[in-house]
């Protein structure tokens, strides 16, 4: 308990320093979030929704300090190539905006601001963004400690389908650091856009990146949103997102989870207007001793809302994945149509998946379904490929690709598919080499 | 080309093949006929190297090399092709991707340069035309949503692309109507060549009306109980397997 108190005191001190430094307008939301957070602190496994992911233990085992306290190394000298050709890109290093590395030439109607800039230029907007979050411990912690982040706004009717990439680079510190980047994406009525968030680890220093974000879609807005997690092997990465959809809005999200020692992606989607549609797909590819948690909660709050969710994963070595998916249908959300599927391929007998799909339905005229499976590579299919001359590691790779295909197909954003396929191929190629030595 | 001597094999500890002797010369078409459970499919899997089929005695030599020492992909590289009774569906993998991977894997095994996408497509279109198949096969996922006949035609397409020295056809006629059967048989006949041998495994004589074998073997209880010319298939059609089953017991 003393340990917990110490952590809380340190968070409180950090928060006070931030309020003085950045946007005094945020004092009230930060204070409210801190009060909520301090009741439970870092979530423990005795909480039902944290049963399978022991974040508290992971955070105890390493001392993470603020960026002010650790030595930040120079760099990076070299940025990874943009995911999609011609993508506009803004870059953050350890959660802080780097204007010198960013290049975004945006059309009228689309704005990107850093949180820092917005705090001085339009403080009322930042206050609004901070007021609309989730009351979840890690979201609250982010609200308490967020120093910088990205705010994307699309004016009503603005259609801009060229991908905008937000590159979250992390690492390059003397000792392990913690930071809390914030994201807000807001689309006006009828606006459409494509946003790629890419988390990329630099070097092998550990860090704790606790991201949070809000995405709000006005009536008939459409957003494609890819999040690609490729954090450093020693990192702890958490990300809590709230997506709010108005009437006829469409959110099309894809989450590719590859990196970090321990990660938790928590996505809440509220379908608040009639005929809003949420398509949430993803894949997790984990190996070694990685732990990757995907927790989703889709709430149908209005009639005739649609949700489609497919998460698929492949786990090698001693990797462990958690999938907790919940669909909630409110009493007045008649004719809601929700489907959720989670399938995992275990490539090693030491890999583990904890899958918990749930439905909570309070309306009577709805269509909802969920399913979950876990299995191994089909030996018959493996033999079939090998009998055609394809060597075993390649045959296995083809079958993993085949297994993941429908989750990837569900995202259906042509401009980003080559990048997703390349990530997948890279992961599979690494498996191929292991396969050759152990099999 | 293929020499099988005193081959014994078991599945999950149960003996299935109990001493098979068979010799196939280049260019020959052999048929193995037998009732259900006689070990026909086991023989085809043992030749292709499927896991779970354990050889307990005997030898198989293919073009002078010990076939039983090789992995399935090495056997394919050496020129063995097995057309499966039940071709496997592989969702999400287009037929072209699968075939290109197979063709290039085998070329690589043989020390040949890989073919590029353009060359490959040209080759594949030519083979499709020969087999009277539409280009639609290229885009579809491997065997997914294919009818029984389409799956077997797809096996013939793979055979045509891989150009094996020995093709083993395991009950290729099962589940086919007469038109599909004819089409598949035409595909096989088109592949017949002086340097290519075929081993046709079937329960029924009807396939052998379309693919005429040089030699027919009757397999019962894990052994070849009688060998002869094409007339043996007709004799079997008249008398049924009962006589041979009795002999084996």
């Amino acid at each position: 308990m003393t340990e917990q108190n110490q952590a809380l005191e340190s968070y409180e001190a950090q928060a006070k320093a931030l309020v003085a430094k950045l946007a005094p307008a945020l004092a009230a939301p930060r204070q409210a979030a801190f009060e909520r957070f301090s009741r439970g602190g870092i979530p423990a496994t005795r909480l039902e929704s944290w049963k399978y992911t022991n974040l508290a233990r992971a955070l105890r085992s390493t001392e993470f300090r603020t960026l002010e306290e650790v030595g930040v190394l120079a760099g990076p000298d070299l940025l990874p190539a943009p995911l999609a050709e011609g993508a506009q890109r803004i870059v953050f290093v350890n959660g802080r905006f780097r204007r010198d590395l960013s290049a975004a030439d945006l059309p009228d109607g689309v704005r990107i601001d850093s949180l820092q800039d917005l705090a001085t230029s339009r403080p009322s907007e930042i206050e609004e963004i901070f007021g609309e979050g989730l009351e979840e411990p890690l979201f609250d912690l982010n609200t308490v400690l967020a120093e910088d982040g990205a705010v994307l706004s699309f004016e009503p009717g603005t259609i801009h389908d060229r991908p905008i990439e937000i590159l979250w680079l992390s690492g390059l510190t003397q000792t392990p650091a913690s930071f809390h980047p914030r994201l807000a994406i807001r689309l006006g009525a009828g606006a459409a856009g494509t946003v790629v968030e890419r988390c990329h680890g630099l070097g092998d220093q550990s860090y704790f990146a606790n991201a949070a974000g809000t995405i709000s879609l006005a009536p008939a807005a459409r957003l494609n949103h890819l999040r690609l997690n490729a954090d450093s092997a020693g990192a702890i990465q958490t990300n809590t997102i709230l997506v709010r959809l108005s009437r006829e809005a469409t959110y099309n999200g894809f989450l590719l989870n590859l990196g970090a020692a321990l990660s938790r992606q928590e996505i809440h989607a509220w379908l608040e207007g009639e005929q809003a549609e949420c398509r949430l797909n993803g894949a997790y590819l984990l190996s070694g001793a990685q732990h990757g948690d995907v927790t989703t909660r889709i709430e149908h709050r209005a009639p005739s809302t649609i949700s489609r969710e497919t998460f698929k994963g492949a786990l090698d070595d001693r990797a462990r994945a958690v999938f907790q998916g919940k669909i909630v249908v409110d009493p007045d959300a008649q004719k809601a149509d929700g489907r959720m599927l989670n399938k995992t391929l275990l490539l090693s007998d030491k890999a583990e998946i904890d899958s918990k799909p749930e439905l909570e339905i309070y309306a009577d005229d709805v269509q909802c379904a969920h399913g979950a499976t876990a299995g191994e590579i089909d030996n018959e299919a493996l033999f079939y490929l090998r009998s055609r001359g394809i060597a075993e590691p390649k045959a296995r790779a083809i079958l993993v690709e085949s297994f993941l295909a429908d989750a990837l197909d569900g995202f259906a954003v042509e401009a980003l598919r080559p990048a997703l396929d390349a990530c997948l191929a890279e992961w599979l190629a690494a498996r191929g080499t292991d396969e050759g030595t152990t099999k | 080309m293929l020499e099988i001597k005193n081959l014994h094999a078991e599945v999950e500890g149960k003996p299935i093949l109990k001493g098979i002797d068979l010799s196939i010369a280049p260019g020959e078409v052999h048929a193995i006929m037998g009732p259900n459970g006689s070990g026909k499919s086991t023989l085809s899997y043992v030749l292709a190297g499927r896991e779970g089929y354990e050889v307990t005695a005997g030898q198989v030599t293919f073009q002078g090399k010990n076939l039983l020492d090789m992995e399935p992909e090495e056997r394919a590289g050496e020129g063995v092709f097995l057309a499966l009774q039940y071709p496997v569906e592989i969702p999400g993998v287009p037929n072209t991707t699968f075939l290109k991977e197979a063709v290039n894997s085998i070329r690589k095994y043989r020390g040949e340069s890989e073919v590029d996408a353009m060359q490959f497509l040209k080759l594949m279109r030519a083979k499709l035309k020969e087999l009277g198949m539409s280009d639609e096969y290229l885009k579809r996922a491997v065997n997914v949503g294919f009818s029984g006949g389409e799956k077997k035609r797809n096996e013939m397409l793979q055979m045509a692309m891989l150009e094996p020295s020995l093709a083993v056809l395991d009950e290729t006629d099962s589940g086919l109507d007469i038109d599909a059967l004819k089409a598949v048989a035409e595909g096989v006949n088109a592949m017949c060549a002086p340097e290519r041998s075929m081993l046709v495994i079937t329960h029924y004589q009807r396939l052998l009306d379309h693919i005429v074998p040089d030699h027919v073997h009757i397999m019962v209880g894990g052994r070849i109980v009688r060998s002869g010319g094409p007339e043996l298939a007709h004799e079997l059609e008249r008398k049924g397997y009962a006589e041979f089953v009795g002999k084996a017991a």
Side-chain angles (χ1 to χ4, degrees), chain A residues 378-394 398-399 401-403 405 409 439, chain B residues 45 48 50 71-73 76 81-82 84 87-88 90-93 98 101-102 105-106 143 155 158 162:
Chain A
D378 177 5
N379 271 326
E380 211 173 312
L382 186 63
F383 168 70
Y384 189 50
L385 294 173
R386 294 178 72 192
S387 78
R388 299 301 180 251
I390 302 169
E392 188 175 351
K394 182 69 196 176
I398 289 174
L399 292 175
E401 250 176 283
S402 155
F403 175 79
D409 291 346
K439 189 83 191 174
Chain B
Y45 283 139
R50 185 166 178 171
E71 297 292 336
E73 55 267 36
F81 179 87
L82 170 63
L84 269 82
V88 183
I90 307 178
V93 178
F98 165 55
E101 196 60 49
S105 295
I106 286 178
N143 294 326
E155 295 290 284
Q158 292 164 36
L162 299 178

Side-chain angles (χ1 to χ4, degrees), chain B:
Chain B
M1 164 123 357
L2 181 75
E3 287 288 340
I4 303 176
K5 280 188 188 147
N6 189 33
L7 183 65
H8 287 70
E10 52 184 54
V11 180
E12 290 170 356
K14 193 180 164 211
I16 307 285
L17 301 183
K18 300 169 184 169
I20 302 279
D21 290 288
L22 182 65
S23 175
I24 301 180
E28 284 183 350
V29 178
H30 287 238
I32 291 187
M33 301 183 69
N36 292 332
S38 59
K40 304 187 300 290
S41 288
T42 298
L43 176 61
S44 70
Y45 283 139
V46 168
L47 291 177
R50 185 166 178 171
E51 247 174 69
Y53 291 76
E54 201 192 336
V55 174
T56 49
Q59 294 166 350
V60 179
T61 314
F62 178 68
Q63 294 179 325
K65 293 181 185 167
N66 178 2
L67 196 66
L68 299 179
D69 268 358
M70 299 178 194
E71 297 292 336
E73 55 267 36
E74 294 171 327
R75 299 180 195 209
E78 292 290 335
V80 175
F81 179 87
L82 170 63
L84 269 82
Q85 183 177 0
Y86 303 108
V88 183
E89 297 186 6
I90 307 178
V93 178
N95 228 353
T96 27
T97 311
F98 165 55
L99 270 167
K100 186 160 175 271
E101 196 60 49
V103 165
N104 279 332
S105 295
I106 286 178
R107 290 182 69 91
K108 206 167 138 192
Y109 180 87
R110 294 177 184 164
E112 298 164 5
S113 65
E114 296 189 5
V115 293
D116 65 29
M118 288 305 289
Q119 289 170 309
F120 176 80
L121 268 181
K122 210 173 144 191
L123 188 67
M124 184 131 141
R125 289 227 164 84
K127 297 291 183 190
L128 279 168
K129 208 172 165 191
E130 272 174 40
L131 290 165
M133 293 163 73
S134 76
D135 279 9
E136 199 211 343
Y137 276 90
L138 300 176
K139 290 177 211 143
R140 289 167 68 181
V142 181
N143 294 326
V144 177
F146 284 30
S147 70
E150 286 175 324
K151 283 182 181 169
K152 297 298 169 76
R153 279 187 195 219
N154 201 20
E155 295 290 284
M156 294 307 106
L157 174 63
Q158 292 164 36
M159 180 167 82
M161 293 295 294
L162 299 178
E163 301 187 317
S165 320
L166 172 71
V168 181
L169 312 180
D170 184 15
E171 309 237 7
T172 292
D173 51 333
S174 72
L176 296 190
D177 62 28
I178 190 68
D179 291 333
L181 182 78
K182 273 186 185 167
V184 165
E186 275 168 27
V188 173
N189 287 329
M191 289 288 293
C192 283
E195 70 286 0
R196 181 173 295 130
S197 308
M198 305 257 185
L199 181 59
V200 182
I201 291 172
T202 180
H203 184 97
Y204 300 105
Q205 182 258 338
R206 62 173 194 164
L207 179 66
L208 304 181
D209 287 341
H210 303 280
I211 305 171
V212 181
D214 302 305
H215 301 275
V216 175
H217 311 275
I218 295 173
M219 190 165 164
V220 177
R223 290 189 187 92
I224 289 175
V225 295
R226 200 168 146 197
S227 298
E231 71 289 345
L232 186 57
H234 294 280
E235 189 187 327
L236 194 64
E237 185 72 1
R238 284 196 311 277
K239 295 183 181 167
Y241 284 112
E243 187 189 332
F244 300 100
V245 173
K247 270 186 187 165

Side-chain angles (χ1 to χ4, degrees), chain A residues 6-19 34 144-145:
Chain A
Q6 274 171 6
L8 287 177
E9 273 169 28
S10 123
Y11 289 138
E12 191 169 29
Q14 285 176 49
K16 278 184 179 149
L18 278 176
V19 167
F34 183 75
V144 174
L145 298 176

